[in-house]
Amino acid sequence: VLTRAHLQPDIVYDETILRDGLDQYHVLVMPVCPVLAESVARRVMDWQAKGGIIVADELLAPRISPDILIQQMQSDDKAESIAKAALLRGELGEALLPYAEADTPEAILRVRTFGATDYVFALNDRRTFGTYVGQYRKVMEQGLPTTAAVTVRRPSGTVYDLLAGKAVDAVAKDGTLRFAADFGPGQGRLFMITPQPIAGVTVNGPAAVARGDSAAFTVTVVAASGRPIDAVAPLRIDIVDPEGAPAEHSGWHAARGGQLGLRLDIAPNDAPGDWRVRVRELASGRTAEAAFRV
Protein backbone atom coordinates (compact mmCIF):
# COMPACT_ATOMS: atom_id res chain seq x y z
CA VAL A 1 0.00 0.00 0.00
CA LEU A 2 2.79 2.44 0.90
CA THR A 3 4.62 1.66 -2.33
CA ARG A 4 1.54 2.20 -4.46
CA ALA A 5 0.96 5.49 -2.62
CA HIS A 6 4.48 6.48 -3.79
CA LEU A 7 5.64 6.84 -0.20
CA GLN A 8 9.20 5.68 0.38
CA PRO A 9 9.34 4.10 3.84
CA ASP A 10 12.20 3.14 6.08
CA ILE A 11 11.71 0.06 8.23
CA VAL A 12 12.22 0.58 11.97
CA TYR A 13 12.25 -2.00 14.72
CA ASP A 14 11.70 -1.79 18.46
CA GLU A 15 15.46 -1.61 18.98
CA THR A 16 15.97 1.20 16.47
CA ILE A 17 13.12 3.25 17.95
CA LEU A 18 14.71 2.94 21.40
CA ARG A 19 18.16 3.73 20.05
CA ASP A 20 17.43 6.48 17.52
CA GLY A 21 13.98 7.78 18.41
CA LEU A 22 11.47 8.93 15.78
CA ASP A 23 12.15 12.65 15.49
CA GLN A 24 13.50 12.25 11.94
CA TYR A 25 10.10 11.00 10.73
CA HIS A 26 6.75 12.68 10.04
CA VAL A 27 4.62 9.52 9.83
CA LEU A 28 4.83 6.15 11.57
CA VAL A 29 2.92 3.27 9.97
CA MET A 30 2.15 0.47 12.46
CA PRO A 31 0.56 -2.55 10.79
CA VAL A 32 -0.22 -5.58 12.98
CA CYS A 33 1.06 -4.09 16.27
CA PRO A 34 -1.30 -5.50 18.94
CA VAL A 35 1.47 -5.84 21.54
CA LEU A 36 4.36 -3.45 22.22
CA ALA A 37 6.95 -3.22 24.94
CA GLU A 38 6.14 -0.47 27.45
CA SER A 39 9.34 1.41 26.58
CA VAL A 40 8.55 1.39 22.85
CA ALA A 41 4.90 2.38 23.37
CA ARG A 42 5.99 5.34 25.51
CA ARG A 43 8.45 6.52 22.84
CA VAL A 44 5.75 6.28 20.17
CA MET A 45 3.15 8.16 22.22
CA ASP A 46 5.63 10.88 23.18
CA TRP A 47 6.53 11.32 19.52
CA GLN A 48 2.85 11.47 18.55
CA ALA A 49 2.21 14.12 21.22
CA LYS A 50 4.83 16.31 19.53
CA GLY A 51 2.96 16.16 16.23
CA GLY A 52 3.89 12.81 14.72
CA ILE A 53 1.20 11.07 12.65
CA ILE A 54 0.39 7.41 13.32
CA VAL A 55 -1.17 5.26 10.62
CA ALA A 56 -2.37 1.86 11.83
CA ASP A 57 -4.90 -0.89 11.34
CA GLU A 58 -7.57 -2.14 13.73
CA LEU A 59 -5.09 -4.39 15.56
CA LEU A 60 -3.10 -1.53 17.08
CA ALA A 61 -2.43 -1.79 20.83
CA PRO A 62 -5.41 -0.09 22.54
CA ARG A 63 -3.33 2.45 24.50
CA ILE A 64 -2.29 4.10 21.23
CA SER A 65 -4.84 5.95 19.10
CA PRO A 66 -4.04 6.14 15.38
CA ASP A 67 -4.45 9.44 13.57
CA ILE A 68 -5.32 7.52 10.39
CA LEU A 69 -7.01 4.12 10.46
CA ILE A 70 -6.54 1.87 7.44
CA GLN A 71 -8.29 -1.48 7.72
CA GLN A 72 -6.20 -4.58 7.16
CA MET A 73 -6.04 -6.02 3.68
CA GLN A 74 -8.73 -8.67 3.34
CA SER A 75 -7.07 -10.42 0.42
CA ASP A 76 -4.09 -10.30 -1.93
CA ASP A 77 -6.25 -8.47 -4.46
CA LYS A 78 -4.25 -5.82 -6.31
CA ALA A 79 -7.27 -3.55 -6.68
CA GLU A 80 -7.72 -3.47 -2.90
CA SER A 81 -4.13 -2.38 -2.32
CA ILE A 82 -4.49 0.36 -4.95
CA ALA A 83 -7.71 1.56 -3.31
CA LYS A 84 -6.10 1.65 0.13
CA ALA A 85 -3.11 3.54 -1.29
CA ALA A 86 -5.47 6.20 -2.66
CA LEU A 87 -7.29 6.32 0.70
CA LEU A 88 -4.01 6.80 2.58
CA ARG A 89 -2.85 9.60 0.26
CA GLY A 90 -6.19 11.32 0.70
CA GLU A 91 -6.03 11.03 4.50
CA LEU A 92 -2.47 12.34 4.66
CA GLY A 93 -3.28 15.27 2.36
CA GLU A 94 -0.59 17.94 2.48
CA ALA A 95 0.93 16.54 5.68
CA LEU A 96 3.23 14.25 3.70
CA LEU A 97 3.79 14.58 -0.03
CA PRO A 98 5.99 12.06 -1.85
CA TYR A 99 9.29 13.43 -3.12
CA ALA A 100 8.72 11.46 -6.32
CA GLU A 101 5.41 10.13 -7.61
CA ALA A 102 3.75 8.92 -10.78
CA ASP A 103 0.28 9.49 -12.14
CA THR A 104 -0.40 5.76 -11.88
CA PRO A 105 -0.03 3.36 -8.93
CA GLU A 106 1.29 0.82 -11.43
CA ALA A 107 4.64 2.64 -11.56
CA ILE A 108 6.67 1.76 -8.47
CA LEU A 109 9.29 4.39 -7.61
CA ARG A 110 12.33 4.57 -5.34
CA VAL A 111 14.73 7.51 -5.09
CA ARG A 112 18.36 7.55 -4.03
CA THR A 113 20.50 10.69 -3.83
CA PHE A 114 24.14 11.67 -4.15
CA GLY A 115 24.93 15.32 -3.51
CA ALA A 116 22.51 17.40 -5.58
CA THR A 117 21.69 14.51 -7.94
CA ASP A 118 18.67 12.21 -7.68
CA TYR A 119 18.39 8.69 -9.06
CA VAL A 120 14.81 7.60 -9.73
CA PHE A 121 14.33 3.83 -10.01
CA ALA A 122 11.00 3.02 -11.67
CA LEU A 123 9.36 -0.38 -12.19
CA ASN A 124 6.28 -1.23 -14.24
CA ASP A 125 3.91 -3.31 -12.10
CA ARG A 126 0.97 -3.24 -14.49
CA ARG A 127 -0.15 -6.86 -14.81
CA THR A 128 -3.09 -9.07 -15.71
CA PHE A 129 -4.02 -12.73 -15.42
CA GLY A 130 -2.08 -14.90 -17.85
CA THR A 131 -2.45 -18.51 -18.95
CA TYR A 132 0.02 -20.10 -16.52
CA VAL A 133 -1.35 -19.63 -12.98
CA GLY A 134 -3.55 -16.69 -13.88
CA GLN A 135 -6.28 -19.09 -14.91
CA TYR A 136 -7.01 -19.59 -11.20
CA ARG A 137 -7.48 -15.83 -10.74
CA LYS A 138 -4.98 -15.76 -7.87
CA VAL A 139 -1.80 -14.40 -9.47
CA MET A 140 -1.41 -11.74 -12.16
CA GLU A 141 1.70 -13.04 -13.85
CA GLN A 142 1.27 -11.43 -17.29
CA GLY A 143 3.00 -8.05 -17.59
CA LEU A 144 1.51 -5.23 -19.65
CA PRO A 145 3.10 -2.08 -21.10
CA THR A 146 2.30 1.27 -19.54
CA THR A 147 3.18 4.95 -19.63
CA ALA A 148 3.66 7.14 -16.57
CA ALA A 149 4.19 10.82 -15.90
CA VAL A 150 6.79 11.08 -13.14
CA THR A 151 6.92 14.15 -10.89
CA VAL A 152 9.89 14.95 -8.63
CA ARG A 153 9.64 17.73 -6.07
CA ARG A 154 12.73 19.65 -7.07
CA PRO A 155 12.53 23.01 -8.87
CA SER A 156 14.89 22.24 -11.74
CA GLY A 157 17.33 19.77 -13.21
CA THR A 158 18.36 17.81 -16.27
CA VAL A 159 16.90 14.31 -16.55
CA TYR A 160 18.92 11.49 -18.12
CA ASP A 161 17.72 8.00 -19.02
CA LEU A 162 20.67 5.89 -17.86
CA LEU A 163 19.62 2.81 -19.82
CA ALA A 164 19.18 4.72 -23.07
CA GLY A 165 22.17 7.02 -22.46
CA LYS A 166 20.44 10.26 -23.37
CA ALA A 167 18.65 13.28 -21.93
CA VAL A 168 14.88 13.18 -21.41
CA ASP A 169 12.52 16.10 -22.01
CA ALA A 170 11.34 17.49 -18.69
CA VAL A 171 9.14 20.41 -17.63
CA ALA A 172 9.86 22.48 -14.52
CA LYS A 173 6.74 24.07 -13.05
CA ASP A 174 5.58 25.17 -9.60
CA GLY A 175 8.65 23.79 -7.87
CA THR A 176 8.46 20.36 -9.47
CA LEU A 177 10.12 18.57 -12.38
CA ARG A 178 7.92 16.38 -14.57
CA PHE A 179 8.82 13.90 -17.32
CA ALA A 180 7.24 10.95 -19.13
CA ALA A 181 8.40 7.34 -18.97
CA ASP A 182 7.33 4.45 -21.21
CA PHE A 183 7.60 0.90 -19.89
CA GLY A 184 7.49 -2.49 -21.52
CA PRO A 185 5.94 -5.40 -19.58
CA GLY A 186 7.74 -5.78 -16.26
CA GLN A 187 10.37 -3.26 -17.34
CA GLY A 188 12.50 -1.23 -14.97
CA ARG A 189 13.89 2.23 -15.76
CA LEU A 190 16.55 4.36 -14.10
CA PHE A 191 16.70 8.15 -14.39
CA MET A 192 19.44 10.47 -13.16
CA ILE A 193 18.50 14.09 -12.41
CA THR A 194 21.43 16.50 -12.20
CA PRO A 195 21.33 20.20 -11.21
CA GLN A 196 23.22 21.12 -14.40
CA PRO A 197 23.50 19.39 -17.78
CA ILE A 198 26.59 17.36 -18.57
CA ALA A 199 28.81 19.41 -20.87
CA GLY A 200 31.58 16.95 -21.64
CA VAL A 201 34.08 14.30 -20.55
CA THR A 202 37.85 14.67 -20.30
CA VAL A 203 40.69 12.17 -19.87
CA ASN A 204 44.07 13.39 -18.61
CA GLY A 205 47.26 11.42 -18.22
CA PRO A 206 50.90 11.15 -19.36
CA ALA A 207 51.82 11.05 -23.01
CA ALA A 208 54.26 8.18 -22.53
CA VAL A 209 54.78 5.33 -20.06
CA ALA A 210 57.81 3.04 -19.87
CA ARG A 211 57.42 -0.72 -19.62
CA GLY A 212 57.38 -1.77 -15.99
CA ASP A 213 56.09 1.64 -14.84
CA SER A 214 52.61 2.83 -13.89
CA ALA A 215 50.65 5.89 -14.95
CA ALA A 216 47.78 7.82 -13.39
CA PHE A 217 44.83 8.92 -15.52
CA THR A 218 41.92 11.10 -14.40
CA VAL A 219 38.48 10.98 -16.00
CA THR A 220 36.28 14.02 -15.33
CA VAL A 221 32.60 14.42 -16.19
CA VAL A 222 32.15 18.17 -16.59
CA ALA A 223 28.96 20.10 -15.84
CA ALA A 224 27.84 23.21 -17.72
CA SER A 225 29.59 25.31 -15.06
CA GLY A 226 32.92 23.81 -16.12
CA ARG A 227 33.33 22.00 -12.79
CA PRO A 228 33.01 18.25 -12.13
CA ILE A 229 29.37 17.24 -11.96
CA ASP A 230 27.90 16.70 -8.49
CA ALA A 231 26.86 13.11 -9.17
CA VAL A 232 28.01 9.54 -9.41
CA ALA A 233 28.31 9.32 -13.18
CA PRO A 234 28.33 5.87 -14.82
CA LEU A 235 31.17 5.23 -17.27
CA ARG A 236 32.28 2.65 -19.78
CA ILE A 237 36.07 2.63 -20.11
CA ASP A 238 38.04 0.68 -22.70
CA ILE A 239 41.82 0.60 -22.48
CA VAL A 240 43.33 -0.99 -25.57
CA ASP A 241 46.88 -1.82 -26.57
CA PRO A 242 48.34 -1.23 -30.07
CA GLU A 243 46.83 -4.52 -31.25
CA GLY A 244 43.35 -3.55 -30.06
CA ALA A 245 43.30 -6.01 -27.16
CA PRO A 246 41.57 -4.81 -23.95
CA ALA A 247 43.80 -4.11 -20.99
CA GLU A 248 43.28 -4.15 -17.24
CA HIS A 249 40.62 -1.74 -15.88
CA SER A 250 38.53 -1.96 -19.04
CA GLY A 251 34.88 -2.20 -18.02
CA TRP A 252 32.21 -0.37 -16.05
CA HIS A 253 33.12 2.37 -13.61
CA ALA A 254 31.52 5.19 -11.61
CA ALA A 255 32.89 8.72 -11.37
CA ARG A 256 32.04 9.70 -7.80
CA GLY A 257 31.68 13.46 -7.56
CA GLY A 258 32.27 13.58 -11.32
CA GLN A 259 35.83 12.23 -11.19
CA LEU A 260 37.54 8.87 -11.43
CA GLY A 261 41.23 8.09 -10.99
CA LEU A 262 42.81 5.14 -12.78
CA ARG A 263 46.31 3.79 -12.23
CA LEU A 264 47.54 1.71 -15.14
CA ASP A 265 50.37 -0.72 -14.49
CA ILE A 266 52.32 -1.43 -17.67
CA ALA A 267 53.95 -4.86 -17.50
CA PRO A 268 57.51 -5.40 -18.74
CA ASN A 269 56.16 -7.60 -21.55
CA ASP A 270 53.21 -5.37 -22.59
CA ALA A 271 53.07 -4.46 -26.26
CA PRO A 272 55.00 -1.30 -27.20
CA GLY A 273 53.34 1.38 -29.28
CA ASP A 274 50.30 3.64 -29.06
CA TRP A 275 47.72 2.75 -26.40
CA ARG A 276 44.31 4.39 -26.01
CA VAL A 277 41.95 5.15 -23.13
CA ARG A 278 38.38 5.48 -24.45
CA VAL A 279 35.62 6.73 -22.16
CA ARG A 280 31.87 6.84 -22.71
CA GLU A 281 29.76 8.63 -20.12
CA LEU A 282 26.54 6.60 -19.92
CA ALA A 283 24.05 9.34 -18.97
CA SER A 284 24.59 11.77 -21.85
CA GLY A 285 26.47 9.44 -24.21
CA ARG A 286 29.40 11.86 -24.44
CA THR A 287 32.81 10.36 -25.15
CA ALA A 288 36.48 11.19 -24.74
CA GLU A 289 39.76 9.53 -25.68
CA ALA A 290 43.40 9.86 -24.68
CA ALA A 291 46.46 8.25 -26.22
CA PHE A 292 49.79 7.36 -24.65
CA ARG A 293 52.88 5.62 -25.95
CA VAL A 294 54.51 2.63 -24.30
Side-chain angles (χ1 to χ4, degrees):
V1 170
L2 294 174
T3 300
R4 295 192 186 284
H6 297 124
L7 301 172
Q8 184 166 307
D10 292 338
I11 297 176
V12 296
Y13 301 91
D14 291 9
E15 295 82 0
T16 51
I17 290 175
L18 294 175
R19 184 190 68 199
D20 304 330
L22 293 166
D23 289 345
Q24 66 271 39
Y25 298 110
H26 299 290
V27 177
L28 178 64
V29 182
M30 303 179 67
V32 194
C33 291
V35 178
L36 295 170
E38 171 66 26
S39 56
V40 175
R42 177 52 56 192
R43 284 288 191 97
V44 170
M45 290 188 291
D46 289 346
W47 170 82
Q48 185 186 31
K50 294 187 292 185
I53 299 171
I54 294 178
V55 178
D57 56 27
E58 64 274 22
L59 298 180
L60 183 63
R63 280 182 59 189
I64 303 175
S65 297
D67 300 288
I68 299 174
L69 178 65
I70 301 291
Q71 295 287 333
Q72 272 197 308
M73 291 278 294
Q74 300 302 308
S75 68
D76 293 329
D77 183 57
K78 181 179 177 182
E80 184 183 359
S81 70
I82 291 175
K84 289 187 182 300
L87 174 63
L88 177 58
R89 283 294 302 275
E91 292 283 352
L92 284 172
E94 298 289 321
L96 181 65
L97 296 173
Y99 181 66
E101 62 181 321
D103 62 349
T104 169
E106 307 280 22
I108 308 300
L109 305 180
R110 184 89 182 174
V111 180
R112 298 189 70 180
T113 300
F114 176 90
T117 297
D118 292 320
Y119 299 83
V120 181
F121 295 77
L123 174 69
N124 175 16
D125 193 45
R126 185 182 178 213
R127 292 173 282 120
T128 189
F129 295 110
T131 57
Y132 181 46
V133 292
Q135 59 184 311
Y136 304 107
R137 289 300 187 263
K138 295 295 184 182
V139 178
M140 292 182 174
E141 84 278 30
Q142 181 66 49
L144 297 171
T146 194
T147 298
V150 178
T151 300
V152 181
R153 284 184 168 80
R154 56 181 293 161
S156 62
T158 302
V159 181
Y160 293 97
D161 183 333
L162 292 189
L163 299 183
K166 63 180 182 180
V168 174
D169 291 336
V171 177
K173 184 178 180 181
D174 298 330
T176 65
L177 200 61
R178 186 181 176 96
F179 59 93
D182 295 323
F183 299 85
Q187 185 180 22
R189 307 290 298 274
L190 175 55
F191 301 95
M192 183 174 84
I193 307 176
T194 60
Q196 294 184 342
I198 296 170
V201 184
T202 63
V203 185
N204 294 303
V209 185
R211 281 173 158 184
D213 284 350
S214 62
F217 285 81
T218 301
V219 179
T220 304
V221 181
V222 183
S225 64
R227 299 178 60 83
I229 194 163
D230 186 14
V232 177
L235 305 173
R236 172 67 199 193
I237 297 179
D238 292 289
I239 303 165
V240 295
D241 67 13
E243 298 173 358
E248 185 182 12
H249 299 305
S250 292
W252 312 102
H253 295 265
R256 183 181 176 89
Q259 289 191 310
L260 173 70
L262 290 174
R263 180 162 292 277
L264 307 184
D265 297 317
I266 305 301
N269 62 343
D270 270 333
D274 293 328
W275 289 51
R276 297 188 181 277
V277 179
R278 297 174 180 145
V279 179
R280 183 171 186 266
E281 191 278 312
L282 300 176
S284 66
R286 295 181 182 274
T287 61
E289 183 175 304
F292 65 97
R293 189 166 186 81
V294 170

